[in-house]
Amino acid sequence: MIKLRAIAEEALAGLLTDGMTIAVGGFGLCGVPYDLIEVVRDSEVTGLTIVSNNMGVDGKGLGLLLENRQVAKVIASYVGENKLFAQQYLDKVLDVEFSPQGTLAERMRAGGAGIAAFYTRTGVGTPVAEGKPHAEFDGHVHVRERAIVADLALVHAHTADQAGNLTYRAAARNFNPLVATCGRVTVAEAEHLAEEFINPELVTTPGIYVSRLVVARERTKEIEQRTVRPRVTVEA
């Protein structure tokens, strides 16, 4: 099976439809599949449900889909960097399902592992648990969380090989491997394409999860919050 495509548009050709659920990798602005997101924006599909740790920032990452009014619902754990997100939520344009970060990660992992639901103590007694089944285990109340299986998963990897095996770099590994498993179809963009197969000992996402692959175009690495401190000069 040939997975490599020449451009991002080819990688997503025939996969995008109105009303679909898309899981998207990334942590802040790190490890975000920018090329693939831009193709989704340009396709003008609407009514999307986006599952992601966060929704980027205004004008960057998944924020582009918000600007284009393509998103109907968001399942996320953190959205504090996006003013447009807040405005659309307050205007009731956007349906939002908040999920604690660890719970969101496990919901995607469970979806990829074929586990329909699981119980966790996280969120019990908070609005997160309202309307969900509860059960007691070992003297503690737990809330039941449903797994997430997306129609399409978009991920950003550091290195890929022709078989679709993926490795990630630093914080980009936080959510991308989980997203890669929970999509019925997974499309990956990678910064580098290995000439040989990646050493199996180093593979994070096995190629069996990846349907299509594209080499990401070079771009400036975005920084969500740039914080620096004055350089201290030490006198001899």
Side-chain angles (χ1 to χ4, degrees), residues 15-56:
L15 298 180
L16 299 172
T17 59
D18 292 343
M20 72 187 312
T21 296
I22 306 178
V24 184
F27 191 72
L29 294 179
C30 177
V32 176
Y34 290 104
D35 291 8
L36 297 173
I37 290 171
E38 289 173 4
V39 174
V40 176
R41 177 199 60 190
D42 295 342
S43 75
E44 298 188 347
V45 291
T46 60
L48 301 175
T49 294
I50 300 296
V51 183
S52 185
N53 176 61
N54 58 282
M55 284 298 291

Side-chain angles (χ1 to χ4, degrees), residues 2-183:
I2 299 175
K3 299 182 178 182
L4 184 63
R5 300 296 192 271
I7 56 175
E9 288 80 0
E10 270 187 44
L12 288 177
L15 298 180
L16 299 172
T17 59
D18 292 343
M20 72 187 312
T21 296
I22 306 178
V24 184
F27 191 72
L29 294 179
C30 177
V32 176
Y34 290 104
D35 291 8
L36 297 173
I37 290 171
E38 289 173 4
V39 174
V40 176
R41 177 199 60 190
D42 295 342
S43 75
E44 298 188 347
V45 291
T46 60
L48 301 175
T49 294
I50 300 296
V51 183
S52 185
N53 176 61
N54 58 282
M55 284 298 291
V57 301
D58 295 285
K60 297 178 182 178
L62 289 169
L64 298 177
L65 304 186
L66 293 176
E67 286 184 355
N68 221 24
R69 293 297 182 97
Q70 293 173 270
V71 183
K73 180 178 179 178
V74 172
I75 303 175
S77 66
Y78 176 71
V79 293
E81 301 297 331
N82 198 309
K83 295 178 182 177
L84 181 59
F85 178 100
Q87 192 59 56
Q88 289 188 5
Y89 174 63
L90 294 173
D91 292 342
K92 302 188 185 302
V93 173
L94 203 57
D95 184 17
V96 180
E97 179 184 334
F98 285 110
S99 184
Q101 194 165 82
T103 300
L104 180 64
E106 181 63 11
R107 290 176 69 186
M108 290 191 282
R109 191 204 68 81
I115 299 169
F118 60 91
Y119 281 91
T120 176
R121 292 174 64 184
T122 304
V124 172
T126 75
V128 166
E130 291 178 2
K132 298 176 183 177
H134 288 63
E136 185 174 311
F137 299 95
D138 301 322
H140 298 284
V141 177
H142 292 61
V143 59
R144 193 178 77 188
E145 295 283 357
R146 285 297 307 272
I148 292 173
V149 178
D151 300 307
L152 176 65
L154 307 179
V155 301
H156 179 95
H158 181 263
T159 303
D161 62 24
Q162 294 276 356
N165 297 307
L166 308 177
T167 65
Y168 307 92
R169 182 177 179 275
R173 186 169 173 166
N174 285 5
F175 272 89
N176 275 296
L178 302 166
V179 169
T181 67
C182 78

